[in-house]
Amino acid sequence: MNRREVLLSGVALSLAGTHAFAQAGKEILIGCIWPLTGPTAQIGADARHALETAVDIVNNSHDLDLPTAKNAGLAGLGGAKIKLVFADHQGDPQKGRAEAERLITQDKVVAICGAFHSSVSATVSASCERYGVPYIAADSSSPSLHRRGLKFFFRPAAHDEMFSLAMFEFMDALKKKGKKIDTVGLFFEDTIFGTDSSNVQRKLAADRGYKVAVDIKYRASSPSLTAEVQQIKSANPDVLLPSSYTTDTILLMKTMDELGYKPNNILAQAAGFSDKATFDAVGDKLNGMISRASFSLDLAAKRPSVGKVNEMFKARANRDLNDNTSRQLTCILVLADAIDRAKSTDGEKIRAALAATDTPGEKTIMPWKRIKFTPEGQNDDADPVLLQYLGGKFVTVYPAQAAIAEPKWPMNG
């Protein structure tokens, strides 16, 4: 091959989206797009701790029953180390798109993880698709994300249809035990996260015979929720089903308190209801609240790796793993395992390895059957759990095989 052919070959590889890691340093760059500033900055701060904990697990040898954990680095690439490159999307989908393209074209990352906000995951994953770079949706739960025919999109965790189904099955089980649950209230923010969540819950309510007593769509980051809370108070549903991010969750709880309204029960779509910033601000008003989740620290009693990984995270973050951080940590472990099996940093080869993933639940920190992706890139075996906030901590109350306590119902009873 002459010099001109070599140059043309190099250009073709670049245009195809192939990213070779630097042989000298043996570093594999992974892009991480989260809100590092703005209203959900605490999510980004916690994500950094989770992602860096995962990198520690991959890059160093640990006595953990998790893929790649026992080796120091990726054996399939000669012990190469993972390096994270962070970008701040500030909760803005277009900012996320721009940051993704910068990470791909300038930093030469081999894959991208993100992004908490489903609206941002939508734009970032579309950019990744154009460049042939795998995208791992760590903690974005909108069901529509994996239904766009994308080849490079993967989500190890559950989506909101799966979470909402668990919520309604939980309510069905309580009704069979004699609990009064006839009406539900929908309260959701107006981005893709809230609207997709409410669409699923509206359908489930109709299918399972629950009356929707109040159905409120509000503007995300609204300066006031007084009118909305007055509507909820007037309808007084048996269960309030909120889908809200952090600032809205805090405002909702403060407004309820100001108007003297105590909901019978809150069954939340996590997000703001699982963020430390929320509990720091209004934790005293959330006792008895139940949230869906992907993670249960109670699982540590059965799987030693769960407790060990939690201690590693806690040493960095000064708090336990939660719904968000467990998914964030897991996304890096899933991606690192795929790169290790691919023995390559080529986008198509990593994509193929991700598609071939079949990790038993016992080799994760999650209460899942396994991690195995459908052709759409969704893990249908990511079994949700429900956690109740009691006495300043979360306890698992559903499903029965994971529960360590009976739910307090009603929450203010």
Side-chain angles (χ1 to χ4, degrees):
M1 185 180 288
N2 61 36
R3 183 173 182 277
R4 181 175 179 275
E5 289 172 326
V6 169
L7 289 172
L8 287 173
S9 176
V11 170
L13 284 172
S14 176
L15 289 173
T18 301
H19 305 275
F21 65 92
Q23 292 286 352
K26 285 193 172 181
E27 284 187 339
I28 298 172
L29 303 184
I30 294 175
C32 300
I33 298 183
W34 263 273
L36 305 178
T37 59
T40 50
Q42 183 64 53
I43 295 291
D46 290 343
R48 183 185 289 270
H49 291 308
L51 300 164
E52 289 176 346
T53 301
V55 168
D56 182 358
I57 292 169
V58 174
N59 287 351
N60 302 293
S61 180
H62 294 276
D63 184 22
L64 298 168
D65 193 18
L66 303 171
T68 76
K70 296 186 187 299
N71 300 321
L74 300 181
L77 285 169
K81 308 289 189 181
I82 296 288
K83 181 180 179 180
L84 305 180
V85 184
F86 286 90
D88 178 14
H89 64 61
Q90 301 171 14
D92 181 344
Q94 298 314 314
K95 178 73 172 175
R97 184 199 304 273
E99 288 296 282
E101 294 187 357
R102 179 183 63 78
L103 287 170
I104 294 167
T105 61
Q106 296 181 29
D107 291 296
K108 307 298 182 185
V109 300
V110 305
I112 291 179
C113 299
F116 186 63
H117 297 79
S118 289
S119 56
V120 178
S121 272
T123 58
V124 171
S125 56
S127 291
C128 287
E129 190 76 11
R130 286 197 301 275
Y131 286 93
V133 171
Y135 179 73
I136 313 295
D139 49 3
S140 298
S141 55
S142 171
S144 62
L145 289 174
H146 71 279
R147 293 172 179 156
R148 294 169 296 155
L150 300 185
K151 183 180 174 185
F152 287 82
F153 176 92
F154 296 89
R155 177 164 46 195
H159 56 75
D160 287 333
E161 285 182 7
M162 297 165 70
F163 285 127
S164 292
L165 181 59
M167 293 178 185
F168 277 82
E169 288 179 342
F170 170 66
M171 290 192 291
D172 288 349
L174 286 176
K175 284 186 75 171
K176 289 179 181 177
K177 292 180 179 180
K179 301 293 185 182
K180 179 187 177 296
I181 313 174
D182 298 321
T183 60
V184 297
L186 305 186
F187 178 80
F188 57 99
E189 52 92 57
D190 62 355
T191 74
I192 187 174
F193 162 59
T195 52
D196 275 6
S197 173
S198 71
N199 287 338
V200 173
Q201 292 177 341
R202 203 172 288 112
K203 183 178 186 303
L204 283 168
D207 290 347
R208 291 170 180 252
Y210 294 91
K211 179 184 177 183
V212 178
V214 63
D215 193 337
I216 298 174
K217 178 180 181 178
Y218 70 92
R219 183 162 55 87
S221 299
S222 177
S224 172
L225 292 173
T226 300
E228 290 83 354
V229 170
Q230 286 173 335
Q231 290 181 58
I232 298 170
K233 183 179 181 179
S234 177
N236 194 27
D238 294 324
V239 185
L240 180 64
L241 302 170
S243 300
S244 303
Y245 288 125
T246 303
T247 53
D248 299 335
T249 300
I250 293 171
L251 182 58
L252 172 66
M253 299 312 299
K254 285 183 175 179
T255 305
M256 285 181 176
D257 187 56
E258 289 165 4
L259 296 179
Y261 174 57
K262 290 187 176 182
N264 297 307
N265 296 285
I266 294 176
L267 190 47
Q269 200 70 277
F273 286 89
S274 63
D275 186 2
K276 179 181 182 296
T278 299
F279 293 92
D280 287 346
V282 293
D284 59 322
K285 300 172 180 58
L286 286 167
N287 195 59
M289 180 274 300
I290 297 175
S291 175
R292 55 84 164 168
S294 297
F295 178 74
S296 169
L297 187 54
D298 302 325
L299 189 63
K302 297 179 180 178
R303 294 186 200 167
S305 291
V306 175
K308 292 178 183 177
V309 171
N310 184 66
E311 288 305 312
M312 291 175 66
F313 172 78
K314 197 170 185 177
R316 292 173 181 270
N318 198 31
R319 65 188 66 103
D320 291 323
L321 285 164
N322 65 16
D323 179 53
N324 294 323
T325 51
S326 63
R327 289 183 289 171
Q328 293 152 2
L329 190 152
T330 295
C331 85
I332 293 293
L333 297 184
V334 169
L335 178 57
D337 172 54
I339 296 171
D340 192 41
R341 287 184 286 106
K343 297 181 172 59
S344 172
T345 54
D346 175 80
E348 182 59 51
K349 290 179 180 177
I350 296 172
R351 189 213 68 78
L354 282 164
T357 297
D358 191 354
T359 304
E362 293 75 18
K363 291 189 178 294
T364 76
I365 64 166
M366 312 301 275
W368 301 342
K369 293 185 189 73
R370 61 179 178 173
I371 300 175
K372 185 177 177 64
F373 298 107
T374 67
E376 295 177 314
Q378 174 62 43
N379 177 24
D380 284 345
D381 292 312
D383 309 300
V385 295
L386 298 182
L387 310 177
Q388 187 163 33
Y389 187 69
L390 294 168
K393 67 176 184 178
F394 280 104
V395 296
T396 308
V397 295
Y398 184 84
Q401 62 267 28
I404 64 164
E406 287 291 322
K408 180 186 178 185
W409 194 277
M411 63 182 280
N412 290 307

